[in-house]
Amino acid sequence: MSKIIEGLFYAESHEYVKIEGEFGYVGITDYAQHELGNVVYVDMPEVDDEVSAGEDFGAVESVKAASDLISPVSGTVVEINEALADSPELINQDPYANWIIKVQLSDASETENLMDAAAYKEFIKE
C-alpha cells in the first residue's frame, strides 16, 4: 500500500507539493517511487530556473525506466535537494522527506487544480 500524506497536494503525474507559506516543496509520491523501482539518478533544474505547472522540470531515472518530472506548481526554483545528487536512492527510502525542488510560488491558487490526499488515494486505486 502506498503511503499518502494528508495536507499535501497531488498531481495526476504523481508529483506532490507541500506548501509552506509562499514556498512549495516538490517531489514524487510513494506510489511513483514504487512504480519506478530503484532510483539511480535525479535530473534537477538550477536554482533561479522558472518552473511552470504542467511542464517538466527534470527527470528521475531508475533501473527500470526514466520518468519526466512534471511541476504541479509555477514559480522560481529557490533550492534543489543537493543530497539527491550523491544519494538518489533517498527517494526510495522516503519520497516525502526527500523533496526534489523548493519553489517560490508565483500563483498559490494553482493548488486548486491538484488533488488532496483522499482524491489521490482514489486516483491510484484505478
Side-chain angles (χ1 to χ4, degrees), residues 28-47:
I28 65 168
T29 65
D30 193 42
Y31 176 85
Q33 71 84 15
H34 276 297
E35 292 292 299
L36 280 165
N38 293 336
V39 174
V40 292
Y41 178 72
V42 183
D43 180 29
M44 294 178 275
E46 304 284 321
V47 170

Side-chain angles (χ1 to χ4, degrees), residues 24 26 44-46 48-58 69-78 101-107 110:
V26 178
M44 294 178 275
E46 304 284 321
D48 293 331
D49 280 1
E50 297 292 320
V51 294
S52 298
E55 295 189 13
D56 63 19
F57 67 87
L69 293 165
I70 310 296
S71 187
V73 290
S74 301
T76 306
V77 177
V78 292
I101 58 171
K102 178 181 178 181
V103 175
Q104 181 155 21
L105 303 171
S106 56
D107 181 1
E110 286 176 336

Side-chain angles (χ1 to χ4, degrees), residues 3-11 14-20 23-30 72-73 94-99 111-112 114-121:
K3 185 168 141 190
I4 299 169
I5 295 185
E6 292 290 333
L8 304 183
F9 296 94
Y10 297 88
H14 307 293
E15 290 82 13
Y16 68 83
V17 60
K18 176 172 77 172
I19 304 295
E20 287 187 358
F23 298 103
Y25 293 85
V26 178
I28 65 168
T29 65
D30 193 42
V73 290
D94 188 344
Y96 298 112
N98 294 288
W99 48 271
T111 57
E112 293 166 14
L114 301 171
M115 292 176 275
D116 64 9
Y120 185 67
K121 190 174 184 176

